[in-house]
Coordinates of all heavy atoms in Angstrom, one line a residue:
A157 N 55.0 -50.0 8.4 CA 54.0 -51.0 8.2 C 53.6 -51.6 9.5 O 52.5 -52.0 9.7 CB 54.4 -52.0 7.2
Q160 N 51.0 -49.5 11.0 CA 49.9 -49.3 10.1 C 49.7 -47.8 9.6 O 48.7 -47.3 9.4 CB 48.6 -49.7 10.8 CG 48.5 -51.2 11.2 CD 48.6 -52.1 10.1 OE1 47.7 -52.1 9.3 NE2 49.7 -52.8 9.9
H343 N 54.3 -61.0 0.4 CA 53.1 -61.6 1.0 C 53.0 -61.2 2.5 O 52.5 -62.0 3.3 CB 53.2 -63.1 1.0 CG 53.2 -63.7 -0.4 ND1 53.5 -65.0 -0.7 CD2 52.8 -63.2 -1.6 CE1 53.4 -65.2 -2.0 NE2 53.0 -64.1 -2.6
Y344 N 53.3 -60.0 2.8 CA 53.2 -59.5 4.2 C 51.8 -59.1 4.6 O 51.1 -58.4 3.9 CB 54.2 -58.3 4.4 CG 54.1 -57.8 5.9 CD1 54.8 -58.6 6.8 CD2 53.5 -56.6 6.2 CE1 54.8 -58.1 8.1 CE2 53.5 -56.2 7.5 CZ 54.1 -57.0 8.5 OH 54.1 -56.6 9.8
D345 N 51.5 -59.6 5.7 CA 50.1 -59.2 6.3 C 50.3 -59.2 7.8 O 50.5 -60.2 8.5 CB 49.1 -60.3 6.0 CG 47.7 -59.9 6.3 OD1 47.5 -59.0 7.1 OD2 46.8 -60.6 5.9
S346 N 50.2 -58.0 8.3 CA 50.4 -57.8 9.8 C 49.3 -58.3 10.7 O 49.5 -58.6 11.9 CB 50.5 -56.2 10.1 OG 49.3 -55.6 9.8
R347 N 48.2 -58.7 10.0 CA 47.0 -59.3 10.8 C 47.4 -60.7 11.2 O 46.7 -61.2 12.0 CB 45.8 -59.2 9.9 CG 45.3 -57.9 9.6 CD 44.1 -58.0 8.6 NE 44.5 -58.5 7.3 CZ 43.7 -58.7 6.4 NH1 42.4 -58.4 6.4 NH2 44.2 -59.3 5.2
R348 N 48.5 -61.3 10.6 CA 48.9 -62.6 11.1 C 49.6 -62.6 12.4 O 50.0 -63.6 13.0 CB 49.8 -63.2 10.1 CG 49.1 -63.5 8.7 CD 50.0 -64.1 7.7 NE 49.3 -64.4 6.5 CZ 49.7 -64.2 5.3 NH1 50.9 -63.7 5.0 NH2 48.9 -64.5 4.2
G349 N 49.7 -61.3 13.0 CA 50.2 -61.2 14.3 C 51.7 -61.3 14.6 O 52.5 -60.9 13.7
F350 N 52.0 -61.8 15.8 CA 53.4 -61.7 16.2 C 54.4 -62.4 15.3 O 55.5 -61.8 15.1 CB 53.5 -62.4 17.6 CG 54.9 -62.4 18.2 CD1 55.5 -61.2 18.6 CD2 55.6 -63.6 18.2 CE1 56.8 -61.2 19.0 CE2 56.9 -63.6 18.7 CZ 57.5 -62.5 19.1
I351 N 54.1 -63.5 14.7 CA 55.0 -64.2 13.8 C 55.4 -63.3 12.7 O 56.6 -63.1 12.3 CB 54.4 -65.5 13.4 CG1 54.4 -66.5 14.5 CG2 55.4 -66.1 12.2 CD1 53.8 -67.8 14.1
A352 N 54.4 -62.6 12.1 CA 54.7 -61.8 10.9 C 55.4 -60.5 11.3 O 56.4 -60.2 10.6 CB 53.3 -61.4 10.2
T353 N 55.0 -59.8 12.4 CA 55.6 -58.6 12.7 C 57.0 -58.8 13.3 O 57.9 -57.9 13.0 CB 54.7 -57.8 13.8 OG1 54.5 -58.6 15.0 CG2 53.4 -57.4 13.2
G372 N 52.5 -56.3 0.2 CA 51.5 -57.0 0.9 C 50.8 -58.1 0.3 O 50.9 -58.4 -0.9
D373 N 50.2 -59.0 1.0 CA 49.5 -60.2 0.6 C 48.1 -59.8 0.3 O 47.2 -60.0 1.2 CB 49.6 -61.3 1.7 CG 49.1 -62.6 1.2 OD1 48.9 -62.8 -0.1 OD2 48.8 -63.6 2.0
L374 N 47.8 -59.4 -0.9 CA 46.4 -58.9 -1.2 C 45.9 -59.7 -2.4 O 46.6 -60.3 -3.1 CB 46.5 -57.4 -1.5 CG 47.0 -56.5 -0.4 CD1 47.3 -55.1 -0.8 CD2 46.1 -56.5 0.8
K375 N 44.6 -59.4 -2.6 CA 43.9 -60.3 -3.6 C 44.2 -59.9 -5.1 O 44.1 -60.8 -5.9 CB 42.4 -60.1 -3.4 CG 41.8 -58.7 -3.7 CD 40.4 -58.6 -3.4 CE 39.8 -57.2 -3.7 NZ 39.9 -56.8 -5.1

Side-chain angles (χ1 to χ4, degrees):
Q160 299 298 295
H343 296 164
Y344 180 73
D345 187 347
S346 62
R347 294 174 300 178
R348 291 179 181 142
F350 175 73
I351 291 178
T353 56
D373 187 13
L374 302 172
K375 65 182 180 64

